[in-house]
Amino acid sequence: MSKQPAVICLDLGGSFVKLGVMDAQQQLTILDQQKIPAQSWPDFTALIGRMIEQYQQYFSADSPLAISTAGIVSPESGEMFASNIPAFHQRNLNQSLGELLQRKVIVHNDADCFTLAEALAGVGKGHKVVFGAILGSGVGGGLVADGRIITGQNGLTGEWGHGPITLTEVDIAGETVRLPRQPCPCGQKGCLDSYGGARGLENLHRTLHHISMSSINIIAGWQQQDRQAQRTLQVWLQLVSQPLAYTINITGASLVAVGGGLASVTPLMNALNDEVQRYVLRSTHHPLVVPGMFAHNGGMIGAALLAHQTA
């Protein structure tokens, strides 16, 4: 078997482009990070071309370009839906960038790529079905079964943060807390995304206490036994754990790898695991919900592994 070439890796977010390279031993090296020209396709492609040319000593002419990106990739047309990055919204990045750079280009959603990285090389290694739960600024997800990303209709899979599923009543120590269904940027009302991620936690705290506070300070207050912060996190844990338990029941996942900023708070992840174990049909002796190993670069690692799968 011939040696696989190094893979050029890009992570495309709403603010930055991150460039890296994965070698034949599947070791990722981060090379550069630049502010993304989010509004202009010519500026975006010019930046990508310059970045690759600047670090061309790290890969070869036949190295594929693997891209992990915010947004959804249509499995039918390859068209991107990334409204927060107009530079390539409604474009086929595989085709367009491939023609410009004269390389094979593989593009996939960043939550899916994170989940693949965790399933193949991270905390989900050895598990048949792994769900990736993103608890960052918002709520997202991905699903991997038998080492392959499950890509559903229109590229949507694992989007447990959307749909009118949020509880409107939560019982805390004998008190019934009533919550309004919040409008979501996706166009629906009552999505978990409104309360579940870091911005959602801030929204929840504001709804419960009429106080604006950063998610970092809310979590710090919770750890320091602050009464208001504790109440907010008690409500948050119920709001998040029940949809996540439903997701585990539906997908059959034996492990949930959590990514995003909230995954870095180990006591919070432990508490979330305890809550989820209460609601799944069959609890486990091993933790079901665990922080991922690749919180910072999981998307790039997963995209590169996907490029190896499709070589």
Side-chain angles (χ1 to χ4, degrees):
M1 183 181 292
S2 61
K3 183 179 177 181
Q4 291 178 317
V7 179
I8 310 166
C9 308
L10 283 180
D11 183 76
L12 306 180
S15 300
F16 296 99
V17 178
K18 190 185 293 185
L19 174 72
V21 59
M22 179 179 276
D23 62 22
Q25 288 72 46
Q26 298 189 353
Q27 295 298 310
L28 178 71
T29 301
I30 302 301
L31 300 173
D32 200 359
Q33 179 173 294
Q34 299 286 337
K35 184 173 176 58
I36 190 170
Q39 303 295 321
S40 167
W41 171 250
D43 290 347
F44 169 75
T45 55
L47 174 63
I48 300 304
R50 287 196 304 272
M51 292 175 78
I52 291 175
E53 183 177 2
Q54 182 178 352
Y55 295 95
Q56 59 184 309
Q57 70 269 27
Y58 288 92
F59 32 79
S60 59
D62 61 345
S63 291
L65 172 61
I67 298 176
S68 163
T69 181
I72 300 163
V73 185
S74 168
E76 292 81 23
S77 67
E79 185 181 53
M80 285 293 311
F81 181 83
S83 56
N84 63 326
I85 313 177
F88 54 78
H89 178 54
Q90 296 183 321
R91 286 184 180 269
N92 185 321
L93 271 183
N94 288 315
Q95 181 179 332
S96 300
L97 270 183
E99 291 173 353
L100 283 168
L101 301 174
Q102 293 296 293
R103 293 181 185 275
K104 180 180 179 180
V105 176
I106 301 96
V107 183
H108 215 89
N109 169 262
D110 50 7
D112 290 342
C113 290
F114 163 80
T115 308
L116 185 66
E118 294 296 344
L120 295 183
V123 295
K125 191 173 183 180
H127 288 261
K128 180 179 176 65
V129 181
V130 176
F131 187 75
I134 306 302
L135 292 171
S137 56
V139 178
L143 182 65
V144 168
D146 294 321
R148 299 281 175 173
I149 294 172
I150 304 299
T151 302
Q153 183 182 18
N154 298 321
L156 290 167
T157 306
E159 292 294 345
W160 67 296
H162 294 280
I165 60 172
T166 305
L167 294 173
T168 55
E169 290 187 356
V170 174
D171 290 324
I172 301 294
E175 174 196 4
T176 298
V177 179
R178 291 179 172 82
L179 296 165
R181 288 188 178 273
Q182 300 276 7
C184 180
C186 78
Q188 300 191 77
K189 193 173 184 180
C191 294
L192 179 63
D193 193 80
S194 302
Y195 289 131
R199 301 293 80 77
L201 180 62
E202 294 165 359
N203 183 28
L204 179 61
H205 193 75
R206 192 163 49 247
T207 300
L208 292 172
H209 305 295
H210 309 289
I211 296 171
S212 293
M213 189 179 291
S214 73
S215 59
I216 293 172
N217 289 336
I218 295 167
I219 292 170
W222 170 67
Q223 293 177 301
Q224 295 161 10
Q225 309 296 311
D226 174 79
R227 183 180 58 83
Q228 289 185 333
Q230 284 192 309
R231 186 166 183 260
T232 297
L233 266 298
Q234 285 179 312
V235 174
W236 183 89
L237 284 166
Q238 281 201 37
L239 291 177
V240 174
S241 64
Q242 292 188 21
L244 189 51
Y246 306 154
T247 301
I248 292 168
N249 290 343
I250 291 167
T251 61
S254 59
L255 188 112
V256 176
V258 186
L262 296 184
S264 65
V265 186
T266 300
L268 184 62
M269 293 300 99
N270 292 340
L272 181 59
N273 174 70
D274 291 343
E275 284 293 304
V276 168
Q277 295 271 17
R278 292 176 54 198
Y279 296 115
V280 291
L281 281 174
R282 181 171 293 178
S283 59
T284 66
H285 294 295
H286 69 270
L288 270 174
V289 180
V290 298
M293 283 178 59
F294 305 120
H296 299 294
N297 299 314
M300 300 175 80
I301 294 169
L305 293 173
L306 183 61
H308 284 315
Q309 285 185 345
T310 58

